[in-house]
Amino acid sequence: MRYAFKVQYIGKNYSGSQLQPDKPSVQEELEKALCTLIIGGNTEYNRQVKAVFSGRTDKGVNSVGQVVHFDVDKPIVASKFIYSLNEILPDDISVSDLEKVDLKFHAQKSAKRRHYEYVFVNRKCKNAFDGDLLRVKYDIDIDRMQKALDYIKGEHDFSSFKSSGTLNPSKICFIYEAKVERVGDRVHINIIGNRFLYNMVRAIVGTLLEIEGHNLQASYMKGVLDAKDRKKAGRNVSPYGLTLMKVEY
């Protein structure tokens, strides 16, 4: 039998969502907890229960809508299982919305859309409640940022926004939606696509800030996109403002 649920986590204390040798990961913590409940607390962790994620998130990236599936031999009582799992997991990881799915369902391969949000502070002075969010001190033009984002909508080769760690050779992605809005002194950038390359969202945000910081035209984004050259884009911004919001199937 196959089950799937949503996973929420604060990525600050992990090297990423994906299992990594000798480094803390969300996947390892989740698999340990699943093994404790499904197999028994006295069993040494050696991946008897595997958690398959909808996609990897990097060190420092958060999630409120990561989707994970796993297989078991016996039926699960959802409410009891979720409660017990959350009691075992570290305080910065939680799960919700457990449901039985078809064996053909695959958290990663069945996903159609992924929604990321990046949040940064636009203010000269710091605030104790900014946490780890990036703070941009200079004034920004929200309308210009939106015009720049409009250039990435649709299907494109996103090589200019890809870091070297991308495993999938395909650089083609389809962006369904890209919006920016200011809420008080915080700026929210929401991007929905069928897939994302390694560090792609962080590079896009970095390019937006390059445009704003140097008072460039919004069309600069199109030039970067068309160049298919990572050196043309802005730097990767801090991961701490990035959150995987939702995965659609």
Side-chain angles (χ1 to χ4, degrees), residues 26-84:
V26 178
Q27 186 175 14
E28 180 175 355
E29 293 296 338
L30 190 56
E31 289 182 346
K32 283 181 179 179
L34 287 170
C35 286
T36 298
L37 284 183
I38 296 170
I39 299 175
N42 295 325
T43 304
E44 183 179 352
Y45 168 67
N46 57 9
R47 303 203 70 200
Q48 298 97 324
V49 181
K50 294 185 179 181
V52 180
F53 284 56
S54 65
R56 64 176 292 179
T57 55
D58 300 320
K59 177 179 174 61
V61 178
N62 309 312
S63 166
V64 297
Q66 177 73 268
V67 176
V68 172
H69 86 249
F70 63 96
D71 296 333
V72 293
D73 296 328
K74 299 178 181 179
I76 288 174
V77 178
S79 58
K80 181 179 179 180
F81 191 86
I82 285 291
Y83 175 82
S84 300

Side-chain angles (χ1 to χ4, degrees), residues 27-233:
Q27 186 175 14
E28 180 175 355
E29 293 296 338
L30 190 56
E31 289 182 346
K32 283 181 179 179
L34 287 170
C35 286
T36 298
L37 284 183
I38 296 170
I39 299 175
N42 295 325
T43 304
E44 183 179 352
Y45 168 67
N46 57 9
R47 303 203 70 200
Q48 298 97 324
V49 181
K50 294 185 179 181
V52 180
F53 284 56
S54 65
R56 64 176 292 179
T57 55
D58 300 320
K59 177 179 174 61
V61 178
N62 309 312
S63 166
V64 297
Q66 177 73 268
V67 176
V68 172
H69 86 249
F70 63 96
D71 296 333
V72 293
D73 296 328
K74 299 178 181 179
I76 288 174
V77 178
S79 58
K80 181 179 179 180
F81 191 86
I82 285 291
Y83 175 82
S84 300
L85 195 59
N86 279 323
E87 289 297 302
I88 297 172
L89 287 167
D91 291 340
D92 50 8
I93 303 176
S94 63
V95 296
S96 64
D97 303 319
L98 174 69
E99 62 180 48
K100 186 178 179 181
V101 294
D102 192 278
L103 285 173
K104 294 180 180 179
F105 174 86
H106 192 283
Q108 180 184 22
K109 296 177 182 178
S110 301
K112 302 299 183 184
R113 298 187 182 199
R114 296 168 173 85
H115 174 187
Y116 281 92
E117 179 180 62
Y118 193 90
V119 180
F120 66 85
V121 177
N122 187 210
R123 188 189 334 104
K124 289 184 178 180
C125 295
K126 73 174 185 179
N127 184 292
F129 290 95
D130 288 345
D132 297 304
L133 293 180
L134 171 69
R135 178 162 51 93
V136 176
K137 300 178 182 180
Y138 49 81
D139 292 335
I140 61 172
D141 184 335
I142 292 294
D143 290 336
R144 176 169 53 187
M145 289 184 74
Q146 183 58 60
K147 289 178 181 177
L149 277 175
D150 287 342
Y151 285 108
I152 72 169
K153 293 179 182 178
E155 186 174 79
H156 302 283
D157 182 325
F158 282 89
S159 294
S160 291
F161 304 98
K162 172 197 70 68
S163 292
S164 59
T166 301
L167 298 177
N168 193 321
S170 175
K171 311 304 184 295
I172 305 299
C173 304
F174 193 100
I175 300 301
Y176 298 96
E177 187 173 315
K179 290 184 177 181
V180 58
E181 66 174 340
R182 181 191 293 276
V183 181
D185 55 14
R186 295 194 176 191
V187 176
H188 298 249
I189 299 169
N190 285 274
I191 303 177
I192 301 174
N194 66 332
R195 60 191 294 268
F196 289 88
L197 308 179
Y198 184 46
N199 286 337
M200 177 173 154
V201 176
R202 292 167 59 193
I204 290 172
V205 176
T207 304
L208 287 173
L209 294 181
E210 186 88 0
I211 292 170
E212 292 304 308
H214 293 87
N215 198 29
L216 304 174
Q217 296 294 319
S219 58
Y220 182 83
M221 179 68 82
K222 185 179 186 303
V224 172
L225 185 65
D226 292 343
K228 302 179 180 62
D229 182 355
R230 181 64 186 89
K231 295 178 182 178
K232 301 295 184 182

